[in-house]
Amino acid sequence: MRGQTSIQVTAISPFLAACRRERVERTPVWFMRQAGRYMPEYRALRERYSLLEMIRTPELAAQVTLMPRRLGVDALILFADILLPLVPLGLDVEFVPGRGPVLAHPIRSPQDVQRLRPVHLEEDLGFVLETVRLVRREVDGRLPLIGFAGAPFTLASYMIEGGSSRRYLRTKQFMYEYPQAWHTLMATLAQVTLEYLRAQVRAGAQAVQLFDSWVGALSPHDYRLYVLPYTRLIMEGLADLGVPRIHFSTGTAGMLPLIKQAGGDVISVDWRVDLDRAWAILGEDVAIQGNLDPAVLLAPRDIIAREVRRILRQAQGRPGYIFNLGHGVLPETDVNTVRWVVDLVHNE
Ligand code: CP3
């Protein structure tokens, strides 16, 4: 029954087909952070509820997940946040307007790693799984749903820094000074993330994206030593489920071969590398997603069209291409521009 459902959706989903490097009639497109503050209907809901209230109420989270349908995108991404699993691990996470996430008790010593608590998925993050089920019920057979989680390095950076960071100095210091505790932390995060993504797929997610947003802060050497084995553990641990795995990172143009080695059916690349160059490095045996600079969506339309067409030209109609930004939609973006870009990509 399960297999049948996914075959049916593949037949009509250009997004899932492109993830599998099958030929498609038109380029599939979706956007990271496609449900968010740039949408008036999101802001209206946000006036009544906090981010965490919205995420923890499956009916509201499903409603937000579905909002980008009106843009004409080829996939939906679950409305949740990569930092959710940190709460059951024992770290309090708060989203402070204007400041982003704030953790009251960051990890600063090996003892703090020992204190992490076991996560019971259904109990602790059941609301996310329920959102997946609600969305699937609403759109079944029409639009695929992407589940997601944060990758171990990016999660560890928030746990150690206590919030967003620019230089990741505490994270790197911890990694160099306490390698054993670092490896314990990464192994714990890899295990929790793998189980979390598997649960999302069991609940109905048809693809998964692993967000390693900040790993580009590392040298290729440190990536290989301190990060790659854990990302690979997650990617390999998902293989038997047969859903496309998208590996997202930014600032990693200098280590694309390592990103590929870590795994993923689709590699998401940012605008700091030309798409055709990324493709030459990555080879034809993975699909590619990207890579418009989100800031371009703030430009006049002739510039946007120029940049979208430039990227599509670099993709050269190869199978296995998914149009996206190199990072999330900026809150300053006009929602009509996003809608217009979807049409532009579809009609090229
Ligand atoms: O539409 C979607 O993409 C789905 C929902 C989604 C959110 N967060 C909701 C959210 C996704 C996929 C994420 C992932 C996420 N969260 C990442 C990885 C992607 C990336 O951008 O690199 C990271 C690093 C986070 C952590 C996080 N969450 C930060 C740093 C912030 C504050 C900065 C900001 O943009 O406000 C958040 C809050 C957050 N998560 C918002 C949303 C829509 C803003 C919410 C609001 O205040 O209404």
Side-chain angles (χ1 to χ4, degrees), residues 79-143:
F79 188 72
D81 196 87
I82 61 162
L83 302 180
L84 296 178
L86 304 195
V87 177
L89 279 166
L91 287 98
D92 286 334
V93 180
E94 244 194 292
F95 290 90
V96 182
R99 252 186 91 189
V102 177
L103 284 74
H105 307 287
I107 288 182
R108 291 288 149 80
S109 72
Q111 291 74 39
D112 294 333
V113 176
Q114 296 307 321
R115 275 195 287 272
L116 292 176
R117 295 200 287 255
V119 175
H120 306 285
L121 273 175
E122 290 287 341
E123 254 166 77
D124 296 326
L125 294 165
F127 54 91
V128 174
L129 307 177
E130 186 53 23
T131 302
V132 172
R133 290 182 203 106
L134 287 180
V135 173
R136 276 304 300 271
R137 220 171 291 152
E138 187 65 27
V139 295
D140 204 21
R142 279 173 290 139
L143 267 184

Side-chain angles (χ1 to χ4, degrees), residues 152-163 165 168 171 182 214:
F153 176 84
T154 292
L155 293 179
S157 82
Y158 282 100
M159 295 169 94
I160 295 169
E161 304 286 338
S165 173
Y168 304 94
T171 308
W182 171 265
W214 312 128

Side-chain angles (χ1 to χ4, degrees), residues 87-298:
V87 177
L89 279 166
L91 287 98
D92 286 334
V93 180
E94 244 194 292
F95 290 90
V96 182
R99 252 186 91 189
V102 177
L103 284 74
H105 307 287
I107 288 182
R108 291 288 149 80
S109 72
Q111 291 74 39
D112 294 333
V113 176
Q114 296 307 321
R115 275 195 287 272
L116 292 176
R117 295 200 287 255
V119 175
H120 306 285
L121 273 175
E122 290 287 341
E123 254 166 77
D124 296 326
L125 294 165
F127 54 91
V128 174
L129 307 177
E130 186 53 23
T131 302
V132 172
R133 290 182 203 106
L134 287 180
V135 173
R136 276 304 300 271
R137 220 171 291 152
E138 187 65 27
V139 295
D140 204 21
R142 279 173 290 139
L143 267 184
L145 174 65
I146 306 168
F148 72 91
F153 176 84
T154 292
L155 293 179
S157 82
Y158 282 100
M159 295 169 94
I160 295 169
E161 304 286 338
S164 300
S165 173
R166 234 157 43 88
R167 296 187 296 162
Y168 304 94
L169 295 183
R170 286 182 198 273
T171 308
K172 291 180 184 182
Q173 257 178 312
F174 190 99
M175 190 172 88
Y176 296 134
E177 194 168 343
Y178 310 117
Q180 221 182 340
W182 171 265
H183 286 292
T184 305
L185 173 61
M186 293 292 277
T188 304
L189 291 172
Q191 202 51 49
V192 170
T193 302
L194 173 58
E195 282 171 31
Y196 182 39
L197 287 174
R198 289 189 69 92
Q200 290 181 33
V201 173
R202 275 198 305 274
Q206 292 139 297
V208 290
Q209 178 157 321
L210 193 61
F211 282 94
D212 216 349
S213 307
W214 312 128
V215 78
L218 295 180
S219 69
H221 175 267
D222 284 348
Y223 180 81
R224 193 199 313 260
L225 195 62
Y226 296 102
V227 177
L228 192 151
Y230 304 101
T231 302
R232 181 187 270 160
L233 190 143
I234 296 168
M235 291 299 189
E236 284 180 357
L238 293 165
D240 64 299
L241 297 176
V243 299
R245 301 156 293 178
I246 310 172
H247 189 167
F248 168 83
S249 60
T250 70
T252 50
M255 50 185 181
L256 287 177
L258 294 176
I259 296 287
K260 181 181 176 184
Q261 249 184 56
D265 306 290
V266 182
I267 306 294
S268 195
V269 295
D270 77 7
W271 60 95
R272 294 169 183 93
V273 56
D274 282 328
L275 192 74
D276 49 1
R277 208 177 137 246
W279 218 307
I281 296 169
L282 287 166
E284 307 279 323
D285 56 341
V286 286
I288 293 195
Q289 166 176 287
N291 68 340
L292 187 70
D293 181 345
V296 168
L297 296 185
L298 308 179

